[in-house]
């Protein structure tokens, strides 16, 4: 497509999306109000209104909104291309995703039938009152969840990815025997170290990094003080693009919450708080079957985690509201997944009775709550925490549990991890294969959660700084390979799967940035 036409289409799409937004009506109102000001002249009306919007900060807010749209909106498509092509261009991937969705929905419906629990029902008045009273202490409640089981676990999803094949690709043509060592057998283009060095140039050994140069043994004047001052200026300027660039070298602890919210353009205006309160009212009025899955997941994961158990109440609040948020459905335009549907009044097959279930279109799986848990360290106001999590999900986390050819999709991350090991640690890869251990089976659980629950929280937040800074999950695959490189000596000694798992069992002492830096910039080519 011609570059000029593509740009025009992008601009038209963004204008169309912003036209119906709350920001548009706010700017419109401000522009009308400024007409009463004495320094606004009729002969220079356009320039004066523009100047007013600029000085009063509305221009920056509009820039940040446009910047957000550029990150989440669909690429302009070729006019004859069907809408599903934007969700996922490869037909065999779309089919695999649809097949997986059927399986997950069948599992959920079977649970509803077996346990005689409806997918949704109105709570009795007494139960509504009780839930309202204990909203901030839901963790003290101990419902009987023994009958409920997670709809699926990451290892089930991995088996689907392993079985994926491109029907148009003849693997016998592949001259490299390496590709048959790994589990992922789909031909996707993933970056090797030379290309990664180019893309992640700010992480090189000579650049200052939060997570390395703010270490106690280095005098703060050398890096930290000046870097923090720049960070404060970025926050004060309220510039999303500048915040994203800044985040590439890490965010100082005291500024991280503001910087992340700025990058994601996750506001906490009165209308955002009201939206959160409406979702909360929806939780109190109706009980969903997925609520039990959320309770169960939090109990199985975050409640047993030394870092996150204190945030149990926050997790329930955020995840229960998230399940009711129909605004999340918007991201299915660029997500290879399709929101699952159920039928009301038992009229299965009647499309007029089909409703999206759960209302946000996302069925939680084992470990889902760990996407929210680290954010609880940054935000103590539920509505702000909620808005940041929702933005993180619709930009990044959904890619970790859907089948797609996207460079940040879990399939690409798995393939990139295997390729990095095969290319730069071939002896280790071969040794592990010889004893019947597939490295990906060990690393998959880290990647599907973006390492949440495996690294210490301070290190995890430094990793997520880079995800936001580079607008990519690629760094997750790089870290997974770097962990294997770091523990390579011990792994070369193991003789069984159990001993390999033991070597990689505890990642809580690892320092993320030194590992990534050394792997990317000190690995011999």
């Amino acid at each position: 497509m011609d570059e000029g036409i593509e740009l025009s289409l992008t601009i038209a799409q963004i204008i169309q999306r912003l036209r119906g937004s709350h920001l548009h009506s706010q700017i419109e109102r401000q522009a009308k109000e400024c007409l009463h000001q004495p320094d606004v002249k009729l002969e220079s009306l356009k320039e004066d209104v523009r100047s007013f919007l600029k000085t009063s900060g509305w221009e920056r807010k509009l820039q940040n909104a446009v910047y957000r749209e550029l990150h989440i909106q669909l690429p302009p498509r070729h006019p004859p291309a069907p809408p599903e092509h934007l969700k996922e261009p490869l037909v065999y991937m779309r089919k695999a995703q649809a097949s997986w969705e059927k399986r997950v929905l069948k599992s959920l419906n079977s649970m509803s039938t077996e346990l005689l629990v409806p997918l949704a029902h109105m709570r009795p008045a007494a139960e509504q009152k009780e839930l309202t009273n204990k909203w901030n202490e839901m963790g003290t409640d101990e419902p009987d969840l023994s009958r409920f089981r997670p709809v699926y676990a990451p290892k089930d999803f991995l088996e689907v990815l392993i079985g994926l094949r491109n029907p148009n690709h003849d693997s016998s043509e592949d001259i490299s025997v390496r590709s048959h060592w790994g589990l992922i057998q789909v031909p996707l283009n993933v970056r090797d170290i030379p290309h990664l060095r180019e893309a992640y140039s700010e992480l090189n050994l000579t650049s200052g990094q939060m997570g390395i140069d703010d270490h106690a043994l280095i005098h703060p004047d050398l890096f930290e003080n000046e870097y923090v001052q720049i960070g404060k200026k970025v926050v004060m300027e309220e510039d999303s693009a500048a915040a994203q660039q800044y985040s590439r070298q890490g965010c100082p602890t005291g500024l991280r919450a503001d910087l992340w919210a700025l990058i994601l353009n996750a506001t906490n205006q009165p209308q955002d708080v009201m939206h959160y309160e409406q979702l909360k009212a929806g939780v109190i009025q109706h009980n969903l079957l997925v609520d039990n899955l959320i309770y169960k997941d939090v109990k199985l994961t975050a409640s047993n985690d030394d870092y996150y158990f204190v945030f149990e109440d926050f997790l329930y609040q955020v995840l229960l509201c998230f399940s009711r948020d129909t605004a999340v459905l918007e991201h299915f335009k660029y997500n290879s997944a399709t929101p699952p549907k159920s039928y009301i009044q038992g009229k299965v097959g009647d499309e007029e009775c089909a409703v999206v279930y759960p209302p946000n279109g996302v069925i939680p799986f084992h470990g889902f709550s760990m996407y929210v848990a680290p954010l609880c360290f940054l935000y103590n106001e539920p509505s702000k925490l909620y808005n940041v999590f929702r933005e993180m999900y619709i930009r990044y986390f959904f890619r970790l549990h859907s089948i797609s050819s996207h460079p940040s999709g879990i399939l690409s991350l798995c393939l990139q991890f295997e390729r990095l090991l095969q290319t730069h640690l071939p002896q280790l890869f071969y040794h592990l294969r010889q004893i019947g251990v597939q490295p990906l089976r060990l690393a998959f659980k880290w990647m599907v959660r973006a390492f949440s629950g495996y690294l210490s929280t301070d290190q995890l937040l430094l990793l997520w700084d880079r995800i936001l800074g580079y607008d990519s999950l690629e760094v997750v695959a790089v870290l997974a390979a770097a962990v294997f490189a770091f523990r390579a000596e011990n792994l070369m000694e193991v003789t069984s799967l159990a001993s390999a798992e033991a070597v990689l069992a505890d990642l809580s002492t690892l320092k993320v940035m030194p590992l990534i830096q050394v792997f990317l910039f000190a690995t011999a080519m």
Side-chain angles (χ1 to χ4, degrees):
M1 201 188 293
D2 180 70
E3 208 170 291
I5 298 171
E6 193 171 314
L7 184 62
S8 303
L9 277 170
T10 302
I11 293 168
Q13 272 185 350
I14 291 174
I15 290 170
Q16 191 184 347
R17 282 173 63 87
L18 291 180
R19 188 159 271 154
S21 69
H22 186 76
L23 178 67
H24 178 250
S25 57
Q26 282 181 310
I27 291 175
E28 208 171 44
R29 197 181 312 122
Q30 290 295 323
K32 282 176 184 171
E33 284 176 12
C34 86
L35 297 176
H36 304 295
Q37 298 197 358
D39 50 349
V40 175
K41 306 282 187 292
L42 192 60
E43 56 272 16
S44 56
L45 185 64
K46 201 171 181 181
E47 288 72 24
D48 291 349
V49 171
R50 256 191 201 153
S51 173
F52 168 77
L53 291 174
K54 188 172 185 174
T55 52
S56 57
W58 288 100
E59 186 184 61
R60 182 51 55 81
K61 284 178 180 167
L62 181 60
Q63 281 175 355
N64 291 344
V66 170
Y67 194 68
R68 175 189 180 269
E69 291 300 325
L70 284 170
H71 279 81
I72 64 164
Q73 76 145 22
L74 303 161
R77 64 192 176 96
H78 197 277
E84 63 266 21
H85 192 84
L86 289 173
K87 290 167 72 65
E88 169 52 54
L90 300 176
V91 176
Y92 76 96
M93 294 253 186
R94 291 205 297 268
K95 283 183 178 171
Q97 175 63 32
S99 168
W100 169 243
E101 284 165 16
K102 275 183 194 161
R103 213 173 119 184
V104 171
L105 189 57
K106 187 180 176 185
S107 174
L108 187 69
N109 286 329
S110 300
M111 195 187 303
S112 172
T113 309
E114 286 168 26
L115 304 180
L116 303 175
V117 177
L119 291 174
H121 69 270
M122 186 86 145
R123 294 184 199 272
E127 194 184 324
Q128 288 189 29
K129 190 178 178 185
E130 188 191 352
L131 184 54
T132 307
N133 292 337
K134 64 174 187 190
W135 179 257
N136 292 316
E137 45 196 55
M138 281 190 274
T140 57
D141 201 17
E142 289 289 339
D144 178 22
L145 301 169
S146 55
R147 300 182 304 153
F148 295 94
R149 60 187 186 281
V151 177
Y152 70 94
K155 63 175 186 293
D156 306 317
F157 186 47
L158 176 59
E159 294 307 321
V160 175
L161 301 183
I162 291 168
L164 206 55
R165 296 288 181 277
N166 182 346
N168 304 319
H169 183 250
D170 182 1
S171 54
S172 63
E173 289 174 8
D174 201 329
I175 34 172
S176 167
V177 133
R178 273 207 319 265
S179 63
H180 299 299
W181 291 6
L183 290 171
I184 302 299
Q185 296 293 319
V186 289
L188 293 175
N189 193 19
V190 292
R191 293 196 270 206
D192 197 4
I193 285 185
H195 296 110
L196 288 167
R197 283 180 180 174
E198 212 175 295
Y200 294 85
S201 57
E202 292 88 350
L203 304 186
N204 69 52
L205 299 166
T206 56
S207 298
Q209 301 291 333
M210 293 305 286
I212 298 177
D213 298 293
D214 53 332
H215 196 272
L217 298 177
I218 297 170
H219 197 280
D221 287 347
L222 292 174
F223 168 71
E224 195 179 0
N225 288 353
E226 188 187 347
Y227 190 69
V228 170
Q229 289 312 313
I230 296 168
K232 285 178 179 172
K233 195 174 177 186
V234 169
V235 170
M236 208 164 65
E237 290 289 323
E238 293 190 344
D239 187 331
S240 293
Q244 186 164 39
Q245 182 62 38
Y246 180 84
S247 181
R248 292 181 173 194
Q249 286 171 266
C251 298
T253 308
L255 300 177
R256 182 176 280 123
D258 290 333
L259 286 163
W260 282 20
L262 196 49
I263 294 166
L264 297 162
N265 200 29
T267 56
N268 198 34
Q269 301 292 324
Q271 69 270 16
D272 299 309
V273 178
M274 193 197 303
H275 179 65
Y276 175 77
E277 289 300 325
Q278 286 169 343
L279 295 173
K280 176 181 165 181
V283 175
I284 288 165
Q285 282 169 9
H286 288 91
N287 189 4
L288 304 184
L289 170 61
V290 292
D291 294 353
N292 295 296
L293 302 180
I294 289 166
Y295 277 115
K296 181 92 174 186
D297 187 52
V298 173
K299 293 287 182 200
L300 289 175
T301 54
S303 298
N304 294 322
D305 191 289
D306 292 346
Y307 294 106
Y308 304 125
F309 72 94
V310 291
F311 300 123
E312 195 177 339
D313 297 327
F314 268 179
L315 295 176
Y316 292 135
Q317 290 170 16
V318 168
L319 288 165
L320 291 172
C321 287
F322 182 68
S323 67
R324 271 82 171 168
D325 195 348
T326 53
V328 177
L329 295 173
E330 185 75 9
H331 92 286
F332 284 103
K333 286 181 181 172
Y334 53 89
N335 180 353
S336 62
T338 304
K341 288 186 176 178
S342 285
Y343 296 89
I344 52 175
Q345 299 160 354
K347 295 181 181 177
V348 179
D350 183 350
E351 282 307 308
E352 285 185 14
C353 295
V355 291
V356 170
Y357 183 88
N360 69 344
V362 181
I363 296 174
F365 57 91
H366 179 57
F368 192 85
S369 58
M370 296 307 281
Y371 291 144
V372 189
L375 300 173
C376 298
F377 275 96
L378 303 182
Y379 306 99
N380 56 14
E381 199 177 334
S383 59
K384 180 85 178 207
L385 169 65
Y386 178 77
N387 286 319
V388 170
F389 164 66
R390 187 179 65 188
E391 281 296 318
M392 287 285 281
Y393 181 82
I394 65 172
R395 277 206 204 182
Y396 305 111
F397 297 147
F398 78 89
R399 298 201 183 279
L400 296 173
H401 61 94
S402 52
I403 301 168
S404 83
S405 57
H406 193 278
S408 278
I410 190 67
L411 205 54
S412 293
L413 300 186
C414 291
L415 186 60
Q416 188 166 40
F417 164 76
E418 289 195 326
R419 291 270 171 87
L420 287 170
L421 281 196
Q422 289 164 358
T423 308
H424 303 286
L425 296 160
Q427 284 176 302
L428 174 62
F429 202 100
Y430 183 73
H431 168 69
L432 291 173
R433 286 301 318 277
Q434 286 294 93
I435 60 167
V437 174
Q438 275 285 6
L440 182 59
R441 289 194 186 277
L442 300 172
F444 186 75
K445 60 180 185 289
W446 309 334
M447 293 195 287
V448 85
R449 282 196 200 170
F451 279 92
S452 179
Y454 296 103
L455 297 170
S456 63
T457 308
D458 61 322
Q459 296 302 308
L460 181 77
L461 295 174
L462 287 165
L463 174 68
W464 286 14
D465 282 342
R466 275 68 183 192
I467 290 173
L468 284 159
Y470 287 97
D471 193 35
S472 169
L473 288 159
E474 211 171 25
V475 72
V476 170
V478 173
L479 178 60
V483 170
F484 272 74
F486 183 64
R487 298 265 165 95
E489 208 174 309
N490 301 81
L491 288 169
M492 287 300 286
E493 304 292 319
V494 302
T495 54
S496 67
L497 173 62
S499 48
E501 284 173 337
V503 168
L504 298 166
D506 183 15
L507 308 185
S508 62
T509 56
L510 297 184
K511 302 291 180 203
V512 163
M513 288 322 297
L515 281 184
I516 291 173
Q517 268 197 330
V518 168
F519 187 77
L520 283 184
F521 294 96
T523 300
M525 288 293 108

